[in-house]
Amino acid sequence: MSSTDSKPQHKADTRLAHAGRDPSAFHGFVNPPVVHASTVLYPDTATMVTGGQTYSYARRGNPTTDSLEGALKDIEGAAGVKIANSGLNAIALAILSCVKSGDHILIADTAYGPTRHFADTVLPGMKVSVEYYDPQLGAGIKSLFRPETTAVFTEAPGSLTFEMQDVPTIAAAAHEIGATVLMDNTWASPLYCQPLTLGVDLSIQAGTKYIVGHSDATLGTIAASEKAWKGLDTLYGAMGCHVAPDDIFLGLRGLRTLSVRLERHQRNTRTVLDWLGNQAPVARIRYPGLETDPGHAIWKRDFSGASGLCAFDFAAGATQEQTFAFLDALTLFGLGYSWGGFESLAIPVRLKGMRSVADVDPQFQSVRLHIGLEDPEDLINDLDQALMKAFG
Ligand SMILES: *Cc1c(COP(=O)(O)O)cnc(C)c1O
């Protein structure tokens, strides 16, 4: 669908409200229909054999999928967008669209754990060699390039430990050797970081998180540059990928309010972290939006906002028993992994098997928080009583 009402000169919030919609095509209704379908009928054989109508086969898309793809294409400034079943599915498809047997892929050591699992289990069987790199190496990535390096997979900030990386510098180096640059941009969402403007070719979202935003569906999105689009489109079609219309609809519904939700996530996170940073058991906050964070300068240069996901380390001497006691004492923060909904969450950070370049201290005691849309004063009180219970 054409995003008829969204123009390049419009600002991000206007595009969020208008992109990917064409009410005049659906009797004036604001939202597109949720098309449940398999068979598509043709008026006559001539139309059938010439492919002379917009929709030909359910798997190849319908007005609902077109609407979400069109909206994201506009928001990400992409040549094309594909929707996947989950964030991990989007990551796997994006990687498979740009590597082949004999290739070498560089992946940030701080990438999302299941990304590593995919790379370590599936790619070697296809004779793609996988190498992890220190996310903070910047232009030093050149020293890892081989003649067969065809892809560089970035993610910022890093999963669980929140290191930033210099994506524009890494992307420029990768382009010099013709490699495709991928970025898992789930933390910032396409609203607070626009990977394609940083030189990324395949911008990936776990749409499950902030796009859906209500903890009620899983989705993944891949926005491609001109260079990467054909490979992605071909792979997606050949693999028979298709996402159910109800989940697409939840993505579209979430997308419209992304900006107001993120603004509140950001504000609440700042309020909670300003308090948390002053608590005796807490040694360090991990959140590039904070001025004290080592990744702050890069964040400020490349991102326009910070979301609700952060972590903090307990001071040396804290035990795993204390970390678990703290987590078990929380009442408003749920213990759960998949973040990005309206509710606050907490997990213990466990890095075992998740890093191969960085040395990980086995005593490392850290907690990841997702700061939801609750009143931050209630969240602070909850954290306060849990710290008291665990640390006295
Ligand atoms: C959650 C997450 C994913 C995976 O998304 P799913 O929809 O759960 O598969 C990928 N990358 C990051 C950074 C995530 O946080």
Side-chain angles (χ1 to χ4, degrees):
M1 180 190 313
S2 60
S3 24
T4 45
D5 298 328
S6 180
K7 303 279 184 302
Q9 73 269 22
H10 286 139
K11 301 240 181 335
D13 283 7
T14 309
R15 294 154 84 122
L16 276 180
H18 289 269
R21 297 198 291 114
D22 185 5
S24 67
F26 305 111
H27 311 283
F29 292 108
V30 167
N31 291 296
V34 179
V35 177
H36 289 96
S38 62
T39 314
V40 181
L41 300 178
Y42 297 81
D44 48 43
T45 47
T47 311
M48 198 166 209
V49 300
T50 57
Q53 65 185 31
T54 309
Y55 298 106
S56 58
Y57 199 89
R59 204 179 53 223
R60 299 205 186 103
N62 62 55
T64 320
T65 51
D66 279 5
S67 182
L68 183 56
E69 288 174 3
L72 287 166
K73 189 173 163 224
D74 180 323
I75 290 156
E76 297 238 23
V81 169
K82 286 295 180 195
I83 312 294
N85 296 308
S86 66
L88 181 58
N89 186 216
I91 289 163
L93 288 169
I95 291 175
L96 290 177
S97 78
C98 62
V99 298
K100 60 183 189 319
S101 177
D103 286 354
H104 171 240
I105 181 172
L106 286 162
I107 300 179
D109 195 39
T110 45
Y112 175 63
T115 301
R116 283 185 93 92
H117 180 73
F118 167 78
D120 292 344
T121 54
V122 176
L123 296 182
M126 298 170 51
K127 304 236 178 315
V128 172
S129 65
V130 176
E131 182 175 352
Y132 294 97
Y133 69 87
D134 172 353
Q136 292 170 91
L137 89 184
I141 194 145
K142 288 181 184 175
S143 68
L144 302 177
F145 288 162
R146 302 180 194 167
E148 64 275 20
T149 304
T150 53
V152 178
F153 189 101
T154 69
E155 177 176 337
S159 198
L160 303 172
T161 42
F162 295 85
E163 295 88 348
M164 289 301 292
Q165 54 184 295
D166 190 342
V167 174
T169 298
I170 290 172
H175 286 163
E176 278 175 26
I177 58 156
T180 302
V181 180
L182 302 90
M183 179 175 180
D184 183 337
N185 181 42
T186 302
W187 181 81
S189 94
L191 203 62
Y192 286 169
C193 174
Q194 304 243 288
L196 270 58
T197 67
L198 304 180
V200 169
D201 299 296
L202 290 163
S203 162
I204 300 157
Q205 278 291 312
T208 309
K209 308 293 166 53
Y210 286 126
I211 291 177
V212 168
H214 294 73
S215 308
D216 50 8
T218 72
L219 278 185
T221 73
I222 313 158
S225 66
E226 209 65 64
K227 164 185 154 178
W229 170 239
K230 192 163 176 292
L232 176 67
D233 192 32
T234 303
L235 179 86
Y236 190 92
M239 299 268 291
C241 301
H242 177 68
V243 177
D246 294 302
D247 289 344
I248 300 269
F249 169 74
L250 289 170
L252 269 170
R253 166 182 276 228
L255 189 67
R256 304 300 177 198
T257 58
L258 180 63
S259 178
V260 285
R261 285 184 287 109
L262 275 182
E263 199 175 303
R264 185 65 71 86
H265 282 293
Q266 175 165 238
R267 175 153 37 107
N268 284 358
T269 303
R270 187 68 202 222
T271 306
V272 168
L273 293 183
D274 283 347
W275 174 84
L276 197 59
N278 289 319
Q279 304 311 301
V282 175
R284 175 181 171 186
I285 306 279
R286 294 172 181 267
Y287 187 69
L290 282 187
E291 292 73 8
T292 50
D293 191 275
H296 185 70
I298 289 182
W299 171 82
K300 207 168 159 186
R301 184 191 66 190
D302 297 343
F303 290 53
S304 59
S307 69
L309 198 72
C310 54
F312 65 91
D313 303 352
F314 286 120
T319 63
Q320 188 178 77
E321 288 68 34
Q322 283 174 309
T323 303
F324 286 8
F326 164 78
L327 289 164
D328 288 337
L330 293 167
T331 61
L332 288 175
F333 287 79
L335 298 180
Y337 290 103
S338 189
W339 49 276
F342 47 79
E343 81 288 13
S344 290
L345 298 168
I347 59 165
V349 171
R350 290 176 303 157
L351 295 176
K352 198 164 182 290
M354 299 268 206
R355 300 287 184 267
S356 45
V357 177
D359 261 348
V360 180
D361 173 5
Q363 301 304 320
F364 179 68
Q365 293 301 317
S366 187
V367 166
R368 188 189 76 182
L369 297 177
H370 179 249
I371 305 299
L373 304 180
E374 300 93 336
D375 190 303
E377 205 176 303
D378 290 331
L379 296 177
I380 287 171
N381 288 337
D382 194 28
L383 294 165
D384 193 25
Q385 62 81 26
L387 283 176
M388 287 292 282
K389 277 204 182 108
F391 293 90

